Amino acid sequence: FLYLFGHKKQDDFTIDHAVASQTVKRTFCGITQINSRDRLVVNLSGFFWKNCQILGDCHSHTQWGEGEKALYPDFKPSNADKKSSKEEKIYLIVSVSIKKRSRSWKKTKHESIIGTLDKYLFEIKSYWSPKDGELKQIPLICTSAYRLNVFKK
């Protein structure tokens, strides 16, 4: 889980910082929120980056198991994602699975970013939660992701 900090100008967002935080306890079939850690991250970020605001968060949907019986991650927001989304925030969902082949980092026709590192395939999609509360996919531009192609063999 990452908090996304940056600036909003009309309909454009610039993410300047992403702060990792383990704000949940994992169980086999879900998570339990640890609210005290949320407050700590928010208070510290205000100290370090006074000109930034919390734009939203980033989390992953991962593959479960391997081989033919593997359950692959859903690239769409889950029901829990939809319920917990806050108005006027952005959300990045990173789908992580075992790669079948190596891919360069690039933007897809579906407005996401995809690429491989080590033995994993990553696809990153961005969503906006407008006032009506329904998460809508928005285009993602991340030039720093394309620099990861330097590490390809």
Side-chain angles (χ1 to χ4, degrees):
F1 181 87
L2 299 166
Y3 285 99
L4 304 174
F5 293 91
H7 303 89
K8 178 183 177 193
K9 292 179 184 170
Q10 295 173 345
D11 292 335
D12 293 331
F13 297 93
T14 301
I15 299 170
D16 296 317
H17 309 283
V19 178
S21 178
Q22 185 65 35
T23 59
V24 295
K25 282 186 180 179
R26 292 183 180 274
T27 63
F28 179 71
C29 58
I31 59 172
T32 304
Q33 190 78 26
I34 305 170
N35 292 322
S36 61
R37 292 185 184 165
D38 280 342
R39 286 190 300 276
L40 177 64
V41 169
V42 171
N43 290 338
L44 284 175
S45 64
F47 177 74
F48 288 115
W49 308 301
K50 291 185 184 344
N51 297 327
C52 289
Q53 65 188 63
I54 295 177
L55 297 177
D57 69 55
C58 174
H59 68 278
S60 63
H61 290 184
T62 57
Q63 176 179 330
W64 186 263
E66 292 186 43
E68 291 179 20
K69 297 186 179 190
L71 297 174
Y72 291 94
D74 193 352
F75 299 111
K76 297 177 183 156
S78 66
N79 287 335
D81 294 335
K82 292 174 186 176
K83 265 175 73 174
S84 67
S85 67
K86 293 183 176 86
E87 190 176 288
E88 302 285 315
K89 298 292 183 189
I90 60 170
Y91 298 92
L92 299 182
I93 297 178
V94 183
S95 174
V96 184
S97 56
I98 305 292
K99 75 176 183 185
K100 293 182 179 162
R101 62 180 173 84
S102 200
R103 292 183 183 213
S104 293
W105 284 86
K106 64 179 182 178
K107 187 172 183 172
T108 70
K109 65 182 177 180
H110 304 293
E111 302 293 340
S112 64
I113 293 175
I114 194 166
T116 56
L117 281 175
D118 196 25
K119 64 179 182 175
Y120 300 102
L121 170 68
F122 298 89
E123 184 165 1
I124 307 168
K125 288 190 175 185
S126 55
Y127 294 88
W128 165 248
S129 180
K131 293 186 188 214
D132 67 12
E134 186 64 34
L135 287 174
K136 296 181 174 134
Q137 188 176 346
I138 57 174
L140 178 61
I141 300 168
C142 183
T143 55
S144 58
Y146 311 132
R147 291 188 215 133
L148 293 170
N149 292 325
V150 170
F151 299 106
K152 300 286 181 197
K153 293 180 180 179

